[in-house]
Amino acid sequence: MTSLIPKQGVPQIGRFEVLSKIGQGGMSTVFKARNPVTDEIVAIKLASRAVVGDPQLVRRFELEYATAKVLSHRNLVKFFDYGTHGQLPFLVMEYIEGCSLTEAITQKKHLREHEALSAILPIADALIYLHKRQIIHRDVKPANILVGANGQIKLADLGLIKDLGSLSRLTKTKMALGSLHFAAPEQFEDASTADERCDVYSLAATLHTALTGECPFGTGTITTLLHRKMTNQYDASISKLPGIRPAVDLAIRMALQADPARRPKSVSEFVAYLTGWKSFPADLRLPGGPTQQGPTKVSKKTGQERRKALRFETDVPGNCRPALGSAAQVWDSAVIDLSTTGLCLQCNRRFEPGIVLQVALSSDLCEDVVPQLARVRWIKPADNKLWIHGCEFVHPFTDEELNGLISDLMERTKMR
């Protein structure tokens, strides 16, 4: 039985027993810790000694907690408490068992398109939630995205948040904030002017890195990297990874433009381009690669089956939920047919055409199957108050990938 009394000789931060160090940055160190009263495992962000001598940095810790403690979103790390350890302020947060997106990218070299989108879309959802509350994150990057062992994706570290509704102005004029590889160039000119288009930029840079394993603007000195950012000098994602969809490449390139006015105006618009639900302008010309020849065509017709790929009739249990949206609810569902390009999904919830769903198959089928992103194209009622949804994969399977999955389902599958 675990003791609920702090162990003698074990270091403590406040009332919490320190178990291990998780990571360290310029202004803080993060520890895994245990609450000896509840036995709960938490993460503690302890300010460095350099913070104590700067009232502005101490105040930033206080503001981070004051802003974050009232937030509630499935893709945001929860904040529990604030305190001081000696003179050092600390924050108590939800502990996520898993790794950062940086570690996931390093381990795999780069992520497949559907894996990258499965990590980025939940973060986009969290950012939309923050922006609706007039909060700009300003430090979206792989290191601040946590991938839980249970597949949950969470955005962490609100230390550079800008609360547009607050009278507190901790960012001085001409003060630069953000991580060099991922922050928008205007954050290095005057971070006080940051708006949601900064988070759009950082999200796109993070997606590029996840897809290619490389930061979009390469390596070099601060001056070199800032010059590349200001002059749009980068290689398109598709030039490094030819297999990705053109819509993904173009959306990233739109969002990485130095001029904020030329980026998608919101995270929602970026996602609409990214998932192919919004057409690109006919006269779109972008740096980083070949120019776009005309608009992409997006079919919005509903009510009919248009898949030409070979379909397999199945009875595969699973669950689904909107990839975007503040509701945390997950609905049980069944995949009633499956092809390389899409699926038919049956559940007792009606999703409107155009919604992007995250569809997870039963975990006993294949342990390493990543939840698939699928856009609803049409719907029709079924018996017993159920709805059938015809869905198109955001990133289709290859024949080999589908065959590998179908082989696990063979006993309950027949060719259609």
Side-chain angles (χ1 to χ4, degrees), residues 1 49 114 143 164 232 294 373:
M1 180 176 178
R49 296 197 177 277
H114 69 282
L164 300 180
N232 295 314
L373 299 169

Side-chain angles (χ1 to χ4, degrees), residues 48-89:
S48 68
R49 296 197 177 277
V51 170
V52 177
D54 190 333
Q56 292 277 31
L57 294 180
V58 173
R59 177 61 182 141
R60 190 172 294 283
F61 258 74
E62 295 171 352
L63 179 61
E64 180 177 3
Y65 175 66
T67 303
K69 70 177 180 180
V70 298
L71 300 176
S72 178
H73 189 279
R74 65 173 181 264
N75 301 120
L76 286 176
V77 170
K78 297 175 184 177
F79 282 64
F80 300 137
D81 202 358
Y82 174 85
T84 57
H85 178 68
Q87 294 183 305
L88 304 178

Side-chain angles (χ1 to χ4, degrees), residues 234 236 238 246 249-250 253-254 257 262 280-296:
Y234 60 89
I238 203 167
D249 174 64
L250 292 173
R253 288 160 62 191
M254 282 185 72
Q257 295 189 90
R262 299 181 66 85
F280 293 94
D283 60 348
L284 183 64
R285 294 292 181 271
L286 293 171
T291 56
Q292 167 71 5
Q293 302 298 322
T296 54

Side-chain angles (χ1 to χ4, degrees), residues 111-231:
L111 305 185
R112 293 176 291 174
E113 183 182 320
H114 69 282
E115 291 177 318
L117 290 177
S118 293
I120 291 300
L121 288 185
I123 301 305
D125 194 28
L127 291 172
I128 292 169
Y129 172 87
L130 292 176
H131 293 169
K132 285 180 179 178
R133 286 154 182 79
Q134 298 291 292
I135 297 171
I136 311 301
H137 190 279
R138 298 197 294 185
D139 200 21
V140 178
K141 58 184 178 181
N144 285 340
I145 296 174
L146 304 181
V147 182
N150 61 355
Q152 181 79 319
I153 307 294
K154 299 242 181 184
L155 179 60
D157 200 343
L158 301 181
L160 298 184
I161 55 172
K162 179 186 179 185
D163 184 352
L164 300 180
S166 172
L167 294 178
S168 175
R169 291 293 177 260
L170 294 182
T171 305
K172 302 173 184 178
T173 302
K174 298 299 181 183
M175 180 179 179
L177 286 177
S179 298
L180 181 60
H181 288 289
F182 300 97
E186 62 268 25
Q187 289 182 240
F188 297 95
E189 292 183 326
D190 187 353
S192 66
T193 64
D195 61 22
E196 61 187 280
R197 292 170 299 182
C198 289
D199 286 347
V200 170
Y201 184 102
S202 298
L203 191 64
T206 298
L207 177 55
H208 174 99
T209 303
L211 288 168
T212 67
E214 301 176 9
C215 296
F217 297 94
T219 59
T221 65
I222 293 177
T223 302
T224 298
L225 291 178
L226 285 178
H227 176 72
R228 290 176 189 161
K229 283 175 175 280
M230 295 300 298
T231 55

